[in-house]
């Protein structure tokens, strides 16, 4: 908003006439989206990336049932979010979280027509998920960003339903530190899918609920 100057001051007769206002600058070109790092991609934007991530095979391996509630933690630009929303159907819900404002803005724009998707900003060390509400919590290529994997995984536990699972996927070289942190946080690896080109996909449940 342009501020007005001298609105409450009476100009004297001796004051020189003001110079004509300068011509308004030409409108700038629309701002182009900046490149974001560490927030994933969008399915369909790059064929090579889709071949790398295998989204259809990945979602099928999650074993999602219609009507379930899923948290897509660290969703970024929401690479898997649309497929998750399709899998849970209109009776289910996907809550996609992230800490990056620009990524969230783009994701909200993409998901604006989907009533079963909620896009939510969260703090870096807090999942921001309701207790006892989620059948599946997905951590895809995100656990290396946690300041403390063990603490974060512990904070996820209250958000799970009694039979809820945490699905974790990352490059295979990132598996050992995640598994070690999960065990310290009180989880057990209950199953694992080995059909992805470069990623592991494993499922965790609190050891006390098994």
């Amino acid at each position: 908003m342009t501020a007005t100057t001298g609105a409450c001051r009476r100009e004297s007769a001796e004051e020189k006439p003001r110079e004509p206002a300068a011509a308004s600058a030409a409108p700038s070109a629309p701002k182009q989206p900046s490149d974001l790092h560490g927030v994933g991609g969008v399915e369909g934007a790059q064929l090579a990336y889709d071949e790398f991530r295998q989204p259809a095979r990945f979602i099928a391996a999650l074993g999602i049932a219609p009507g379930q509630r899923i948290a897509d933690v660290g969703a970024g630009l929401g690479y898997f979010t649309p497929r998750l929303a399709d899998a849970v159907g209109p009776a289910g819900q996907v809550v996609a979280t992230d800490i990056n404002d620009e990524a969230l803005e783009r994701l909200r724009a993409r998901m604006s027509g989907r009533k079963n998707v909620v896009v939510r900003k969260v703090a870096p060390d807090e999942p921001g998920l309701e207790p006892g509400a989620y059948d599946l919590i997905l951590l895809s290529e995100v656990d290396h960003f946690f300041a403390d994997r063990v603490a974060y995984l512990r904070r996820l536990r209250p958000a799970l339903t009694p039979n809820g699972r945490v699905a974790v996927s990352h490059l295979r070289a990132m598996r050992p530190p995640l598994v070690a942190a999960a065990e310290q946080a009180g989880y057990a690896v209950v199953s694992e899918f080995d059909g992805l080109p470069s990623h592991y996909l494993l499922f965790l449940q609190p050891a006390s609920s098994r």
Side-chain angles (χ1 to χ4, degrees):
M1 181 175 68
T2 304
T4 56
T5 58
C8 299
R9 177 177 60 83
R10 184 177 180 181
E11 296 178 358
S12 64
E14 294 78 16
E15 185 175 356
K16 293 180 180 179
R18 294 180 181 178
E19 295 292 332
S24 300
S28 58
K31 183 180 179 182
Q32 297 298 316
S34 59
D35 290 331
L36 294 176
H37 300 284
V39 294
V42 174
E43 186 181 350
Q46 293 184 344
L47 179 60
Y49 188 71
D50 293 342
E51 289 289 334
F52 179 65
R53 297 307 310 271
Q54 294 286 311
R57 184 180 297 178
F58 181 90
I59 295 298
L62 295 178
I64 298 168
Q68 289 188 326
R69 195 176 193 203
I70 295 175
D72 188 2
V73 173
L77 296 174
Y79 184 78
F80 291 120
T81 307
R83 285 186 180 266
L84 293 171
D86 290 341
V88 299
Q93 186 181 61
V94 176
V95 177
T97 72
D98 207 273
I99 65 172
N100 186 296
D101 288 320
E102 186 172 348
L104 290 169
E105 181 181 352
R106 296 193 203 177
L107 182 55
R108 284 192 184 97
R110 290 178 57 225
M111 298 296 106
S112 60
R114 292 181 178 263
K115 296 181 179 179
N116 64 345
V117 176
V118 174
V119 179
R120 180 181 298 171
K121 183 176 181 179
V122 296
D125 58 350
E126 288 293 340
L129 303 175
E130 302 86 342
Y134 295 88
D135 301 291
L136 181 73
I137 298 175
L138 174 61
L139 306 175
S140 175
E141 290 192 341
V142 70
D143 63 278
H144 64 293
F145 288 117
F146 301 153
D148 186 330
R149 282 186 177 92
V150 175
Y152 198 94
L153 289 169
R154 283 175 177 159
R155 293 187 183 105
L156 287 178
R157 290 182 62 175
L160 292 169
T161 60
N163 294 315
R165 301 170 299 155
V166 178
V168 188
S169 184
H170 213 311
L171 296 172
R172 289 194 176 93
M174 303 293 289
R175 186 183 182 281
L178 182 280
V179 171
E183 291 174 352
Q184 290 183 56
Y187 290 87
V189 177
V190 293
S191 61
E192 189 161 359
F193 178 70
D194 194 32
L196 300 171
S198 302
H199 289 67
Y200 72 84
L201 171 60
L202 57 79
F203 297 89
L204 306 172
Q205 282 187 314
S208 59
S209 68
R210 298 181 64 209

